[in-house]
Amino acid sequence: MEIRLLPWLRQSLAVLRKDLRIEFRTRYAYSALIMFAITTLVTVSFSVGGFVLDADITAALLWIILFFSAMAGLARTFVHEEETGTVTALKMAAQPEPVLIGKYLFNLTLLFSLAVLIVPLFLVMLNQTVLLPGALIAVILLGCLGLAGASTILAAIVAKAGAKSSLMTVLAFPVLLPLLFAAISATRVAFAGGLPQAIAADLLMLFFYDGIVVVASLLLFEYVWNE
Amino acid sequence: MVVTGRKEAGKLLNQVAVRGLSKAYRRRILFKDISLIIPDRSVFVLLGPNGAGKTTFLRIICGLIPATSGQIEIIINGQVLSPREKRTQIGLVSPDLALYGELSAVENLEFFAEVRGIPFSLARARELLHFVGLQGREHDLLDTYSSGMKQRMKYACALLHQPHILILDEPTTNLDESGVALVDKIIKQQKQQGIVIIATNEPREVAYGDQTFTLA
């Protein structure tokens, strides 16, 4: 695989710009993400009532909301290309890697913008205090990087299948399980406080998970894209 | 088969060479062991009834789907192109291919120029859109276009990178008389500088062919 970073970067940004422009006009993926996240958040908030939950439970709830929201919206990037038939034009014009990187950056943008909105709302609605805010930001950033990375490559696979929406969640769950474990564990420490060593291992785990997902996706994508 | 084209040291500089090409979907054989040479500066017309595999044949040339056996070599300036290089030399117009309806004509051209890594200018986009008869609608979203206008837009995208090989699947689909005249002009121009491959059953389009091949 020949690596040409600068042309890849320019072409990836072109894919990102195109997807953002289409998303801005249609709100195709973001509507799905945001509606799912807000509905789930309100449901959880009403179910909990005025109780203050244990940090273990709130950390898990936060990542469950982010995980299922991502599943609801992030597959759209590739599914929309397949459904509208633009995938042939894209394959003819673009190299596989810039397509993957552009779609990854697009999903990352969606997920970050979702997290910026949902995480503060979550903390307010569930009366959750954060003792280590810096650590929480780091967990959310690293978690979103991994979530977007795994969702992007899985979306490319799922786009070629029949039962797209249900398949995405089923395929993503085992792939994202290590990320979810580490993210929930680190979020719990960020909420309840603890020693730096307690969170460092989880953050390191998230960092390596993100790296592995990106590298594996780049290696696999050409096969998935051309299959 | 008469093979013509520019020769250097006994070799064809530019050509599409199909060698022992077969395609089957499970037990259904679409075509088997096809070998032919499409020389430079010629028009090759692929004929055959519906379902004979014309579109599949074109998609294999483009590298969009794999052949069951055999291979297609695209040779430009004496060099056999890699699968990635192939697509830089091919312009495709096909009913299967759609452009971005949520983008305008200029935005589509800008995007495809950027992902192909070729320079884009508004002047070049306007020139292309004028050539295909879409002047005055440059900034309208493609979703507002008629099917004939979308077909014209596909030609603009296919010609954007000045490909050596132009592949046309049912080239005059949805086009009016002026659109048909445009396709006629494009085919004649492309023949002067490269290769045109057409899949059709229209007698008027068959007449373009320097070489024809019928899939049973």
Side-chain angles (χ1 to χ4, degrees), chain A residues 125-210:
Chain A
M125 292 175 84
L126 273 80
N127 293 322
Q128 178 62 55
T129 53
V130 182
L131 294 181
L132 300 172
L136 181 65
I137 292 169
V139 177
I140 298 292
L141 283 175
L142 289 171
C144 284
L145 283 168
L147 200 50
S151 300
T152 305
I153 186 72
L154 289 171
I157 296 167
V158 163
K160 296 177 186 298
K164 294 176 175 56
S165 53
S166 52
L167 196 62
M168 180 72 180
T169 315
V170 172
L171 279 180
F173 186 66
V175 175
L176 283 166
L177 210 53
L179 175 133
L180 290 174
F181 277 140
I184 290 168
S185 168
T187 306
R188 182 182 53 78
V189 179
F191 284 166
L195 294 170
Q197 296 93 309
I199 203 163
D202 290 327
L203 291 179
L204 206 60
M205 160 78 188
L206 287 173
F207 178 78
F208 282 119
Y209 180 93
D210 297 349

Side-chain angles (χ1 to χ4, degrees), chain A residues 12-13 15-16 19 97-107:
Chain A
S12 304
L13 292 177
V15 174
L16 170 67
D19 279 346
E97 293 82 10
V99 173
L100 176 77
I101 298 167
K103 298 279 183 193
Y104 173 57
L105 293 175
F106 173 70
N107 276 346

